[in-house]
Short mmCIF file of all heavy atoms in Angstrom, two decimals:
data_model
loop_
_atom_site.label_atom_id
_atom_site.label_comp_id
_atom_site.label_asym_id
_atom_site.label_seq_id
_atom_site.Cartn_x
_atom_site.Cartn_y
_atom_site.Cartn_z
N ARG H 467 -29.72 -13.11 38.20
CA ARG H 467 -29.83 -13.25 36.76
C ARG H 467 -28.61 -13.95 36.32
O ARG H 467 -27.57 -13.82 36.88
CB ARG H 467 -30.18 -11.89 36.05
CG ARG H 467 -31.42 -11.32 36.46
CD ARG H 467 -31.87 -10.14 35.73
NE ARG H 467 -30.80 -9.47 35.08
CZ ARG H 467 -31.04 -8.18 34.67
NH1 ARG H 467 -31.80 -7.37 35.12
NH2 ARG H 467 -29.98 -7.57 33.91
N GLY H 468 -28.77 -14.51 35.08
CA GLY H 468 -27.63 -15.16 34.38
C GLY H 468 -26.48 -14.13 34.09
O GLY H 468 -25.35 -14.58 33.79
N ASP H 469 -26.81 -12.86 33.93
CA ASP H 469 -25.76 -12.00 33.70
C ASP H 469 -25.15 -11.39 35.08
O ASP H 469 -24.38 -10.49 35.12
CB ASP H 469 -26.29 -10.79 33.00
CG ASP H 469 -27.47 -10.04 33.66
OD1 ASP H 469 -27.77 -10.35 34.68
OD2 ASP H 469 -27.90 -9.07 32.95
N GLY H 470 -25.57 -11.98 36.13
CA GLY H 470 -24.96 -11.79 37.43
C GLY H 470 -25.59 -10.68 38.26
O GLY H 470 -25.19 -10.33 39.28
N VAL H 471 -26.69 -9.97 37.62
CA VAL H 471 -27.42 -9.04 38.34
C VAL H 471 -28.41 -9.60 39.26
O VAL H 471 -29.14 -10.46 39.02
CB VAL H 471 -28.09 -8.02 37.25
CG1 VAL H 471 -28.96 -7.12 38.00
CG2 VAL H 471 -27.12 -7.49 36.30
N TRP H 472 -28.30 -9.06 40.47
CA TRP H 472 -29.24 -9.53 41.55
C TRP H 472 -30.68 -8.98 41.25
O TRP H 472 -30.88 -7.95 40.73
CB TRP H 472 -28.76 -8.90 42.91
CG TRP H 472 -27.52 -9.44 43.42
CD1 TRP H 472 -26.35 -8.92 43.32
CD2 TRP H 472 -27.28 -10.82 43.91
NE1 TRP H 472 -25.40 -10.03 43.87
CE2 TRP H 472 -25.89 -11.03 44.13
CE3 TRP H 472 -28.18 -11.94 44.20
CZ2 TRP H 472 -25.42 -12.16 44.64
CZ3 TRP H 472 -27.65 -13.01 44.80
CH2 TRP H 472 -26.26 -13.16 45.01
N ALA H 473 -31.66 -9.95 41.58
CA ALA H 473 -32.99 -9.63 41.23
C ALA H 473 -33.70 -8.78 42.11
O ALA H 473 -33.47 -8.68 43.41
CB ALA H 473 -33.68 -10.94 41.14
N TYR H 474 -34.54 -7.80 41.56
CA TYR H 474 -35.37 -6.96 42.24
C TYR H 474 -36.10 -7.49 43.51
O TYR H 474 -36.09 -6.98 44.63
CB TYR H 474 -36.29 -6.22 41.28
CG TYR H 474 -37.40 -5.61 41.81
CD1 TYR H 474 -37.36 -4.34 42.60
CD2 TYR H 474 -38.78 -6.18 41.80
CE1 TYR H 474 -38.45 -3.72 43.22
CE2 TYR H 474 -39.76 -5.62 42.35
CZ TYR H 474 -39.70 -4.31 43.08
OH TYR H 474 -40.83 -3.80 43.59
N ASN H 475 -36.81 -8.52 43.30
CA ASN H 475 -37.65 -9.16 44.37
C ASN H 475 -36.77 -9.56 45.58
O ASN H 475 -37.14 -9.35 46.65
CB ASN H 475 -38.33 -10.30 43.85
CG ASN H 475 -39.56 -9.96 42.96
OD1 ASN H 475 -40.29 -9.26 43.43
ND2 ASN H 475 -39.70 -10.63 41.83
N LEU H 476 -35.58 -9.98 45.36
CA LEU H 476 -34.73 -10.30 46.51
C LEU H 476 -34.25 -9.14 47.21
O LEU H 476 -34.17 -8.85 48.36
CB LEU H 476 -33.58 -11.25 46.02
CG LEU H 476 -32.51 -11.44 47.15
CD1 LEU H 476 -33.04 -12.36 48.10
CD2 LEU H 476 -31.10 -11.85 46.50
N ALA H 477 -33.65 -8.20 46.33
CA ALA H 477 -33.04 -6.93 46.78
C ALA H 477 -34.01 -6.18 47.69
O ALA H 477 -33.60 -5.70 48.81
CB ALA H 477 -32.42 -6.07 45.67
N VAL H 478 -35.25 -6.06 47.20
CA VAL H 478 -36.23 -5.18 47.98
C VAL H 478 -36.50 -5.76 49.31
O VAL H 478 -36.57 -5.00 50.26
CB VAL H 478 -37.56 -5.27 47.20
CG1 VAL H 478 -38.75 -4.62 48.04
CG2 VAL H 478 -37.50 -4.51 45.90
N VAL H 479 -36.60 -7.00 49.45
CA VAL H 479 -36.88 -7.68 50.72
C VAL H 479 -35.76 -7.42 51.70
O VAL H 479 -35.80 -7.11 52.85
CB VAL H 479 -37.27 -9.14 50.60
CG1 VAL H 479 -37.39 -9.83 51.85
CG2 VAL H 479 -38.53 -9.34 49.68
N VAL H 480 -34.47 -7.68 51.11
CA VAL H 480 -33.20 -7.58 52.09
C VAL H 480 -33.14 -6.12 52.44
O VAL H 480 -32.83 -5.85 53.58
CB VAL H 480 -32.04 -8.06 51.19
CG1 VAL H 480 -30.77 -7.88 51.93
CG2 VAL H 480 -32.27 -9.58 51.02
N ASP H 481 -33.36 -5.19 51.57
CA ASP H 481 -33.04 -3.89 51.82
C ASP H 481 -34.15 -3.16 52.68
O ASP H 481 -33.75 -2.44 53.63
CB ASP H 481 -33.00 -2.92 50.58
CG ASP H 481 -31.64 -3.31 49.78
OD1 ASP H 481 -30.85 -3.85 50.36
OD2 ASP H 481 -31.64 -3.04 48.61
N ASP H 482 -35.37 -3.57 52.51
CA ASP H 482 -36.45 -2.95 53.42
C ASP H 482 -36.18 -3.47 54.77
O ASP H 482 -36.17 -2.64 55.70
CB ASP H 482 -37.85 -3.46 52.96
CG ASP H 482 -38.39 -2.68 51.79
OD1 ASP H 482 -37.96 -1.42 51.56
OD2 ASP H 482 -39.24 -3.12 51.12
N ALA H 483 -35.80 -4.68 54.90
CA ALA H 483 -35.35 -5.19 56.35
C ALA H 483 -34.24 -4.42 56.84
O ALA H 483 -34.27 -3.88 58.09
CB ALA H 483 -35.11 -6.64 56.32
N ALA H 484 -33.26 -4.11 56.07
CA ALA H 484 -32.04 -3.57 56.54
C ALA H 484 -32.31 -2.01 56.96
O ALA H 484 -31.74 -1.50 57.82
CB ALA H 484 -30.87 -3.42 55.54
N GLN H 485 -33.33 -1.38 56.29
CA GLN H 485 -33.55 0.00 56.57
C GLN H 485 -34.65 0.18 57.65
O GLN H 485 -35.17 1.30 57.96
CB GLN H 485 -34.00 0.73 55.31
CG GLN H 485 -32.80 1.04 54.45
CD GLN H 485 -33.14 2.06 53.30
OE1 GLN H 485 -33.92 1.71 52.63
NE2 GLN H 485 -32.53 3.21 53.35
N GLY H 486 -35.08 -1.06 58.23
CA GLY H 486 -36.22 -0.98 59.30
C GLY H 486 -37.48 -0.58 58.61
O GLY H 486 -38.32 -0.01 59.31
N VAL H 487 -37.68 -0.71 57.36
CA VAL H 487 -39.02 -0.35 56.63
C VAL H 487 -40.06 -1.40 57.05
O VAL H 487 -39.87 -2.61 56.85
CB VAL H 487 -38.83 -0.42 55.19
CG1 VAL H 487 -40.21 -0.30 54.42
CG2 VAL H 487 -37.83 0.80 54.74
N ASP H 488 -41.19 -0.87 57.57
CA ASP H 488 -42.37 -1.77 57.81
C ASP H 488 -43.69 -1.29 57.30
O ASP H 488 -44.62 -1.62 57.56
CB ASP H 488 -42.55 -1.76 59.34
CG ASP H 488 -42.96 -0.61 60.10
OD1 ASP H 488 -42.77 0.51 59.38
OD2 ASP H 488 -43.24 -0.64 61.27
N GLN H 489 -43.40 -0.31 56.23
CA GLN H 489 -44.46 0.31 55.49
C GLN H 489 -44.09 0.43 54.17
O GLN H 489 -43.13 1.30 53.80
CB GLN H 489 -44.98 1.52 56.04
CG GLN H 489 -46.12 2.16 55.41
CD GLN H 489 -46.47 3.44 55.92
OE1 GLN H 489 -45.54 4.46 55.96
NE2 GLN H 489 -47.61 3.80 56.27
N VAL H 490 -44.59 -0.36 53.19
CA VAL H 490 -44.24 -0.17 51.74
C VAL H 490 -45.37 0.46 50.95
O VAL H 490 -46.43 -0.19 50.79
CB VAL H 490 -43.80 -1.53 51.14
CG1 VAL H 490 -43.78 -1.52 49.56
CG2 VAL H 490 -42.56 -1.98 51.72
N VAL H 491 -45.12 1.69 50.50
CA VAL H 491 -46.18 2.47 49.74
C VAL H 491 -45.51 2.62 48.32
O VAL H 491 -44.37 3.33 48.23
CB VAL H 491 -46.56 3.79 50.45
CG1 VAL H 491 -47.55 4.49 49.53
CG2 VAL H 491 -46.92 3.54 51.85
N ARG H 492 -46.05 2.17 47.29
CA ARG H 492 -45.48 2.23 45.84
C ARG H 492 -46.68 2.08 44.93
O ARG H 492 -47.91 1.84 45.30
CB ARG H 492 -44.54 1.16 45.87
CG ARG H 492 -45.10 -0.18 45.93
CD ARG H 492 -43.89 -1.19 46.01
NE ARG H 492 -44.37 -2.58 46.25
CZ ARG H 492 -43.67 -3.67 46.59
NH1 ARG H 492 -42.34 -3.61 46.63
NH2 ARG H 492 -44.15 -4.85 46.66
N GLY H 493 -46.26 2.15 43.69
CA GLY H 493 -47.25 2.06 42.61
C GLY H 493 -47.79 0.83 42.45
O GLY H 493 -47.31 -0.19 42.78
N GLU H 494 -49.22 0.88 42.05
CA GLU H 494 -50.00 -0.29 41.89
C GLU H 494 -49.43 -1.40 40.86
O GLU H 494 -49.72 -2.48 40.92
CB GLU H 494 -51.31 0.33 41.40
CG GLU H 494 -52.44 -0.49 41.54
CD GLU H 494 -53.74 0.40 41.16
OE1 GLU H 494 -53.83 0.55 39.81
OE2 GLU H 494 -54.50 0.81 41.95
N ASP H 495 -48.63 -0.86 39.95
CA ASP H 495 -47.88 -1.74 39.04
C ASP H 495 -47.06 -2.89 39.70
O ASP H 495 -46.85 -3.77 39.14
CB ASP H 495 -47.20 -0.99 37.97
CG ASP H 495 -46.17 0.02 38.68
OD1 ASP H 495 -46.42 0.54 39.75
OD2 ASP H 495 -45.06 0.12 38.10
N LEU H 496 -46.81 -2.57 40.95
CA LEU H 496 -45.83 -3.59 41.64
C LEU H 496 -46.69 -4.53 42.65
O LEU H 496 -46.05 -5.36 43.14
CB LEU H 496 -44.89 -2.82 42.45
CG LEU H 496 -43.86 -2.04 41.65
CD1 LEU H 496 -42.86 -1.16 42.30
CD2 LEU H 496 -43.02 -3.03 40.77
N LEU H 497 -48.06 -4.39 42.58
CA LEU H 497 -48.88 -5.21 43.37
C LEU H 497 -48.61 -6.70 43.16
O LEU H 497 -48.65 -7.50 43.93
CB LEU H 497 -50.38 -4.75 43.27
CG LEU H 497 -51.37 -5.50 44.20
CD1 LEU H 497 -50.94 -5.50 45.64
CD2 LEU H 497 -52.73 -4.90 43.87
N SER H 498 -48.54 -7.03 41.87
CA SER H 498 -48.51 -8.51 41.40
C SER H 498 -47.18 -9.08 41.96
O SER H 498 -47.09 -10.38 42.05
CB SER H 498 -48.70 -8.63 39.95
OG SER H 498 -47.65 -8.05 39.19
N SER H 499 -46.09 -8.36 42.10
CA SER H 499 -44.90 -8.93 42.68
C SER H 499 -44.84 -9.08 44.21
O SER H 499 -43.99 -9.73 44.72
CB SER H 499 -43.76 -7.92 42.31
OG SER H 499 -43.75 -7.45 41.04
N THR H 500 -45.83 -8.58 44.88
CA THR H 500 -45.91 -8.45 46.30
C THR H 500 -45.90 -9.88 46.92
O THR H 500 -45.16 -10.15 47.84
CB THR H 500 -46.98 -7.54 46.79
OG1 THR H 500 -46.62 -6.28 46.17
CG2 THR H 500 -46.85 -7.27 48.26
N PRO H 501 -46.74 -10.74 46.52
CA PRO H 501 -46.81 -12.13 47.24
C PRO H 501 -45.47 -12.75 47.07
O PRO H 501 -45.09 -13.42 48.06
CB PRO H 501 -47.91 -12.97 46.34
CG PRO H 501 -48.83 -11.87 45.88
CD PRO H 501 -47.87 -10.64 45.51
N ARG H 502 -44.78 -12.64 46.04
CA ARG H 502 -43.40 -13.30 45.92
C ARG H 502 -42.56 -12.60 46.97
O ARG H 502 -41.67 -13.33 47.65
CB ARG H 502 -42.79 -13.04 44.53
CG ARG H 502 -43.52 -13.76 43.37
CD ARG H 502 -42.84 -13.48 42.07
NE ARG H 502 -43.38 -14.05 40.97
CZ ARG H 502 -44.22 -13.66 40.14
NH1 ARG H 502 -44.87 -12.44 40.34
NH2 ARG H 502 -44.61 -14.44 39.07
N GLN H 503 -42.57 -11.32 47.02
CA GLN H 503 -41.70 -10.70 48.05
C GLN H 503 -42.11 -11.00 49.61
O GLN H 503 -41.21 -11.15 50.38
CB GLN H 503 -41.75 -9.09 47.88
CG GLN H 503 -41.17 -8.67 46.51
CD GLN H 503 -41.45 -7.22 46.17
OE1 GLN H 503 -41.84 -6.46 47.08
NE2 GLN H 503 -41.31 -6.98 44.85
N ALA H 504 -43.37 -11.09 49.70
CA ALA H 504 -43.81 -11.50 51.10
C ALA H 504 -43.36 -12.99 51.43
O ALA H 504 -42.99 -13.18 52.48
CB ALA H 504 -45.42 -11.44 51.19
N TYR H 505 -43.31 -13.78 50.45
CA TYR H 505 -42.89 -15.22 50.68
C TYR H 505 -41.48 -15.29 50.90
O TYR H 505 -40.96 -15.93 51.84
CB TYR H 505 -43.24 -15.98 49.33
CG TYR H 505 -42.84 -17.42 49.38
CD1 TYR H 505 -43.45 -18.27 50.33
CD2 TYR H 505 -41.87 -17.94 48.64
CE1 TYR H 505 -43.15 -19.57 50.50
CE2 TYR H 505 -41.57 -19.36 48.76
CZ TYR H 505 -42.16 -20.12 49.60
OH TYR H 505 -41.89 -21.50 49.77
N LEU H 506 -40.73 -14.31 50.07
CA LEU H 506 -39.22 -14.40 50.53
C LEU H 506 -39.01 -13.64 51.91
O LEU H 506 -38.05 -14.20 52.60
CB LEU H 506 -38.52 -13.38 49.43
CG LEU H 506 -38.03 -14.05 48.18
CD1 LEU H 506 -37.67 -13.10 47.07
CD2 LEU H 506 -36.94 -14.92 48.41
N ALA H 507 -39.76 -12.74 52.27
CA ALA H 507 -39.50 -12.28 53.66
C ALA H 507 -39.93 -13.29 54.61
O ALA H 507 -39.09 -13.49 55.56
CB ALA H 507 -40.50 -10.99 53.84
N ASP H 508 -40.86 -14.05 54.48
CA ASP H 508 -41.11 -15.20 55.32
C ASP H 508 -40.04 -16.13 55.38
O ASP H 508 -39.58 -16.54 56.49
CB ASP H 508 -42.40 -15.99 54.94
CG ASP H 508 -43.71 -15.17 55.02
OD1 ASP H 508 -43.65 -13.98 55.55
OD2 ASP H 508 -44.76 -15.63 54.64
#
Side-chain angles (χ1 to χ4, degrees):
R467 296 187 338 209
D469 59 3
V471 175
W472 292 100
Y474 158 72
N475 283 312
L476 173 73
V478 169
V479 173
V480 171
D481 290 340
D482 280 337
Q485 285 191 299
V487 167
D488 65 349
Q489 180 191 53
V490 168
V491 178
R492 59 187 177 191
E494 208 170 68
D495 51 326
L496 294 170
L497 181 58
S498 65
S499 315
T500 306
R502 294 179 173 97
Q503 292 169 19
Y505 182 64
L506 273 169
D508 294 354

